[in-house]
C-alpha cells in the first residue's frame, strides 16, 4: 500500500486538510497498520496535487482559513483502480524470528 493511495482513500470520505489526514491515522485504528508524519503527508499531497489527483480549496468555516483537499476525477479513477487490484503480499521483518531461525 502506498502512502499516495492511503491519502486518496482518506480524501474519498470528505475534503480534508493535512491535519485532518494525520488525525485520522493518529486517533483511529489505522495507526495500527500505517503511520505518517505531517512532513510526509504534506509532501505527498503537494505531489498528488501537481499530478492532478487532488485539488485544494479554501475553507473559512471558523473564521480561520484552512486549506482542504479533494479528489479530482483522475484521483477517483486511481483510487478505484487501486481498490480493484489485488493487494501485495505482506512483508514482515522480525529480528527475533530471524535469530531463532538462524540459531
Amino acid at each position: 500500500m502506498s502512502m499516495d493511495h492511503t491519502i486518496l482513500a482518506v480524501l474519498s470520505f470528505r475534503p480534508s486538510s493535512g491535519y485532518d489526514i494525520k488525525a485520522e491515522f493518529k486517533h483511529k485504528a489505522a495507526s495500527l497498520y500505517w503511520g505518517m508524519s505531517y512532513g510526509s503527508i504534506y509532501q505527498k499531497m503537494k505531489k498528488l496535487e501537481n499530478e492532478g489527483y487532488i485539488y485544494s480549496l479554501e475553507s473559512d468555516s471558523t473564521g480561520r482559513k484552512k486549506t482542504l483537499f479533494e479528489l479530482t476525477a483522475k484521483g477517483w479513477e486511481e483510487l478505484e483502480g487501486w481498490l480493484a487490484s489485488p493487494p501485495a503480499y505482506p512483508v514482515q521483518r522480525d529480528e527475533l524470528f530471524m535469530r531463532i531461525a538462524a540459531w
Side-chain angles (χ1 to χ4, degrees):
M1 169 172 37
S2 76
M3 187 183 290
D4 294 355
H5 291 112
T6 304
I7 291 171
L8 294 177
V10 172
L11 293 176
S12 72
F13 293 106
R14 66 180 180 283
S16 301
S17 66
Y19 178 83
D20 296 332
I21 292 170
K22 173 68 173 169
E24 189 73 26
F25 285 88
K26 184 176 179 183
H27 302 295
K28 305 283 169 92
S31 65
L32 297 173
Y33 57 85
W34 199 265
M36 295 186 202
S37 68
Y38 285 112
S40 61
I41 290 171
Y42 285 107
Q43 181 182 15
K44 289 293 186 174
M45 289 172 70
K46 182 175 179 143
K47 175 183 163 273
L48 289 168
E49 186 172 26
N50 289 339
E51 292 175 353
Y53 293 108
I54 63 174
Y55 67 95
S56 60
L57 54 123
E58 296 291 324
S59 169
D60 194 14
S61 60
T62 60
R64 186 175 146 241
K65 288 191 178 182
K66 184 177 182 180
T67 302
L68 300 176
F69 294 87
E70 191 165 357
L71 295 177
T72 62
K74 182 179 177 180
W76 281 107
E77 289 172 13
E78 179 64 25
L79 179 62
E80 184 178 295
W82 176 69
L83 291 172
S85 67
Y89 191 79
V91 175
Q92 182 175 353
R93 295 183 181 136
D94 187 333
E95 183 181 352
L96 177 61
F97 179 72
M98 188 60 204
R99 288 180 182 203
I100 291 170
W103 188 325

